């Protein structure tokens, strides 16, 4: 009777321990499942974000590298450059664009081409060299809505005809003229290009030329071309002479031979002849005499200019148009534009893309030049990626296995009690037993459950197909994978 009682007590104790163990296992598995799920979600979220960022950055970098190379090749071909010169032009093109000038690399290429063809050696010594001149041309073109080629051509014509001492002064003349009243009709640069040689004939510089145009426009002239045409005709007519010219000069109190000689000397003497003529016309009280003399000396434009012709005064032209103190005007305009938040952000973006393009292009070039070394490595990495993919596919079977595991861990109360003792004795033993039990549970489930076999077979079929696909893809596309794999390195270099 006592033995039976002790046996009953022992069974009750074992049952209690087994029940407790089952509860602990259920709770532990639930906590573990929750922790693993949370960790998995965080890893997936982080890896997706990182992968998307790296992938986007790498793609943008490669695209930027290709665009830069294509634009540089186009510019080199247009200018007939090769070797080191072509590389230098490409570098300048990229730097100008990265500094925020031009809406594209091709536009910067147009500016550099214009500088080379329209200004050439006349631009030597300018601030910033070719890069500085191209940047100024782009600023003028974009800020004042001027044709880019027209801008560089105007600078070149001012220089060739001695109306500006250097390219920096030429840009300052243009900037100040566009900021003032000289471009009322939108044809100032066109007028510079067409009439610069004719203004040079009468000895004026770029500031005075712009001032005379502004005086004529403020006096009622239709456009800059009309004013410039009148001055151009005067220089030619006074130099050529003739009976009609002699009579016209004589009617306003001037000597035609003296005027012709002064025009022929050019420079200050020629400007003096223009000044004397304008003063004489304004001082003529007889309106008919004034009109006849003006028509003979300034041609048809004198008839259409009317009072605007008599407003021309070389002595005061530059000062009256604000052209007498214009040094640094272009640099100041560039600073104003560059200091805006939008321009600063755009410049930062372009510099970042330029550096990213250099990094991506460097890695791709290295990879293509070292295919024999990198191809085996990439295939191995591809297989590793396939294994990781396979593991993720295998996780799809975990939900079904969890249920089987719960059943397997509760097979017998006595076995659970023994397992509790093992766990108390050594945590490492618990880990080993869990792995063994999980494997045994999956095997048992596979052998006894048609549903489980279907799930597991499908999972491993997917794993094998994924591994084969990854291997074949890596084998056929390993250069592309090189670019993908170098993305994080490139981003790290960029960050440094």
């Amino acid at each position: 009777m006592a033995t039976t009682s002790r046996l009953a007590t022992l069974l009750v104790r074992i049952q209690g321990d087994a029940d407790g163990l089952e509860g602990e296992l259920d709770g532990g598995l639930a906590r573990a499942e929750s922790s693993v799920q949370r960790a998995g979600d965080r890893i997936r979220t982080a890896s997706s974000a990182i992968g998307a960022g790296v992938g986007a950055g790498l793609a943008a970098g490669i695209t930027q590298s290709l665009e830069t190379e294509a634009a540089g090749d186009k510019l080199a071909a247009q200018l007939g450059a090769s070797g080191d010169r072509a590389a230098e032009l490409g570098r300048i093109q990229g730097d100008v664009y990265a500094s925020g000038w031009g809406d594209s690399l091709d536009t910067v290429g147009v500016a550099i081409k214009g500088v080379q063809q329209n200004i050439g050696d006349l631009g030597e010594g300018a601030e910033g060299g070719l890069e500085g001149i191209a940047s100024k041309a782009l600023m003028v073109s974009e800020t004042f809505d001027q044709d880019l080629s027209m801008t560089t051509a105007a600078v070149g014509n001012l220089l060739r005809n001695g109306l500006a001492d250097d390219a920096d002064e030429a840009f300052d003349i243009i900037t100040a003229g566009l900021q003032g009243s000289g471009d009322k009709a939108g044809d100032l640069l066109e007028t510079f290009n067409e009439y610069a040689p004719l203004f040079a004939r009468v000895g004026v510089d770029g500031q005075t030329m712009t001032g005379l145009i502004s005086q004529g426009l403020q006096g009622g002239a239709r456009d800059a071309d009309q004013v410039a045409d009148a001055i151009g005709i005067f220089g030619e007519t006074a130099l050529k002479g003739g009976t009609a010219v002699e009579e016209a000069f004589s009617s306003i109190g001037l000597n035609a031979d003296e005027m012709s000689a002064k025009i022929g000397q050019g420079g200050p003497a020629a400007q003096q002849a223009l000044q004397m003529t304008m003063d004489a016309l304004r001082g003529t009280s007889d309106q008919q005499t004034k009109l006849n003399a003006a028509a003979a000396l300034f041609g048809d434009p004198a008839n259409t200019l009317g009072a605007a012709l008599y407003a021309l005064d070389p002595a005061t032209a530059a000062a009256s148009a604000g052209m007498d103190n214009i040094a640094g005007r272009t640099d100041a305009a560039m600073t104003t534009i560059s200091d805006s938040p939008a321009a600063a952000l755009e410049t930062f973006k372009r510099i970042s893309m330029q550096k990213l393009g250099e990094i991506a292009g460097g890695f791709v070039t290295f990879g293509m030049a070292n295919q024999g070394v990198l191809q085996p490595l990439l295939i191995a990495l591809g297989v590793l990626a396939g294994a990781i993919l396979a593991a993720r596919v295998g996780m799809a079977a975990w939900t079904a296995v969890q249920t089987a595991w719960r059943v397997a861990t509760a097979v017998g109360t006595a076995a659970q009690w023994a397992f509790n003792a093992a766990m108390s004795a050594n945590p490492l033993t618990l880990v080993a037993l869990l792995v063994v039990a999980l494997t045994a549970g999956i095997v048992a489930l596979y052998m006894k459950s048609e549903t489980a076999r279907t799930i597991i077979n499908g999972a491993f079929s997917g794993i094998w197909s994924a591994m084969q696909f990854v291997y074949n893809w890596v084998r056929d596309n390993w250069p592309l994978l090189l670019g993908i794999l170098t993305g994080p390195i490139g981003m790290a270099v960029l960050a440094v």
Side-chain angles (χ1 to χ4, degrees), residues 5 12-13 40 101 107 114 138 147 164 176 259 276 301 322 378 419-420 427 474:
S5 177
V12 169
R13 185 177 299 169
W101 304 114
T107 300
L138 287 161
D147 180 79
M259 295 299 103
M276 292 173 64
L378 293 175
F419 186 79
N420 186 43
V474 171

Side-chain angles (χ1 to χ4, degrees), residues 122-144:
L122 295 174
E124 291 184 2
E127 183 180 354
L130 177 57
E131 181 177 336
I133 296 176
S135 298
K136 288 183 177 182
L138 287 161
M139 187 284 293
V140 170
S141 174
E142 294 172 357
T143 303
F144 300 101

Side-chain angles (χ1 to χ4, degrees), residues 55 86 144 161 258 367 471:
F144 300 101
N161 291 284
E258 180 184 355
Y471 174 81

Side-chain angles (χ1 to χ4, degrees), residues 266-308:
Q271 181 172 332
Q272 184 183 24
L274 175 62
Q275 183 71 55
M276 292 173 64
T277 301
M278 298 311 305
D279 289 343
L281 284 173
R282 281 189 289 269
T284 300
S285 57
D286 186 87
Q287 292 300 311
Q288 190 61 48
T289 299
K290 178 190 294 187
L291 290 174
N292 290 339
L297 297 174
F298 292 90
D300 290 337
N303 298 323
T304 55
L305 279 169

Side-chain angles (χ1 to χ4, degrees), residues 65-381:
S65 178
L66 293 175
E67 290 179 352
T68 300
E69 183 176 358
D73 290 344
K74 179 180 179 180
L75 176 61
Q78 289 175 333
L79 296 176
S82 60
D84 293 341
R85 180 55 178 168
E88 177 67 8
L89 289 173
R91 181 195 65 77
I92 293 173
Q93 184 179 24
D95 289 346
V96 171
Y97 180 71
S99 297
W101 304 114
D103 57 5
S104 68
L105 284 165
D106 282 339
T107 300
V108 176
V110 172
I112 294 175
K113 176 187 174 185
V115 172
Q116 289 290 96
Q117 294 180 337
N118 295 326
I119 301 174
D121 295 340
L122 295 174
E124 291 184 2
E127 183 180 354
L130 177 57
E131 181 177 336
I133 296 176
S135 298
K136 288 183 177 182
L138 287 161
M139 187 284 293
V140 170
S141 174
E142 294 172 357
T143 303
F144 300 101
D145 298 321
Q146 300 295 316
D147 180 79
L148 186 53
S149 296
M150 183 74 72
T151 300
T152 55
V155 172
N157 278 326
L158 289 173
L159 292 172
R160 288 186 181 85
N161 291 284
L163 301 182
D165 292 334
D166 53 46
D168 292 323
E169 184 181 32
F171 274 110
D172 288 338
I173 291 171
I174 289 173
T175 299
L178 293 172
Q179 289 173 335
S181 58
D183 195 43
K184 184 182 78 171
D187 62 341
L188 182 63
L189 294 191
E190 186 176 353
T191 302
F192 282 165
N193 281 320
E194 183 176 356
Y195 292 99
L198 303 183
F199 275 87
R201 175 181 287 170
V202 295
V204 303
D205 57 19
Q207 290 93 321
T208 303
M209 176 183 180
T210 309
L212 287 169
I213 291 173
S214 179
Q215 286 178 333
L217 290 171
Q218 291 179 351
R222 180 191 66 218
D223 52 34
D225 181 87
Q226 191 178 52
V227 177
D229 193 22
I231 294 176
I233 290 175
F234 168 78
E236 181 182 358
T237 301
L239 185 62
K240 181 175 63 176
T243 302
V245 173
E246 291 175 0
E247 292 177 352
F249 274 121
S250 177
S251 68
I252 58 176
L254 298 175
N255 182 278
D257 291 337
E258 180 184 355
M259 295 299 103
S260 178
K262 287 181 178 295
I263 295 293
Q265 293 179 38
Q271 181 172 332
Q272 184 183 24
L274 175 62
Q275 183 71 55
M276 292 173 64
T277 301
M278 298 311 305
D279 289 343
L281 284 173
R282 281 189 289 269
T284 300
S285 57
D286 186 87
Q287 292 300 311
Q288 190 61 48
T289 299
K290 178 190 294 187
L291 290 174
N292 290 339
L297 297 174
F298 292 90
D300 290 337
N303 298 323
T304 55
L305 279 169
L309 176 65
Y310 310 116
L312 303 183
D313 183 5
T316 63
S320 65
M323 297 294 297
D324 54 340
N325 186 21
I326 61 171
R329 189 70 66 88
T330 306
D331 289 335
M334 293 178 74
T335 299
T336 299
I337 294 172
S338 300
D339 285 348
S340 69
L345 180 61
E346 178 65 19
T347 299
F348 173 78
K349 183 186 77 172
R350 292 186 182 187
I351 292 175
S352 299
M353 290 301 300
Q354 182 189 51
K355 297 302 181 183
L356 184 59
E358 291 174 0
I359 293 169
F363 278 118
V364 170
T365 300
F366 174 80
M368 296 304 295
N370 296 272
Q371 296 182 24
V373 176
L374 293 178
Q375 186 172 7
L377 173 61
L378 293 175
I379 292 176
L381 290 174

Side-chain angles (χ1 to χ4, degrees), residues 375 379 468-481:
Q375 186 172 7
I379 292 176
Q468 286 182 314
F469 171 79
V470 171
Y471 174 81
N472 292 333
W473 187 91
V474 171
R475 181 193 61 199
D476 298 334
N477 299 277
W478 68 268
L480 176 59
L481 183 59

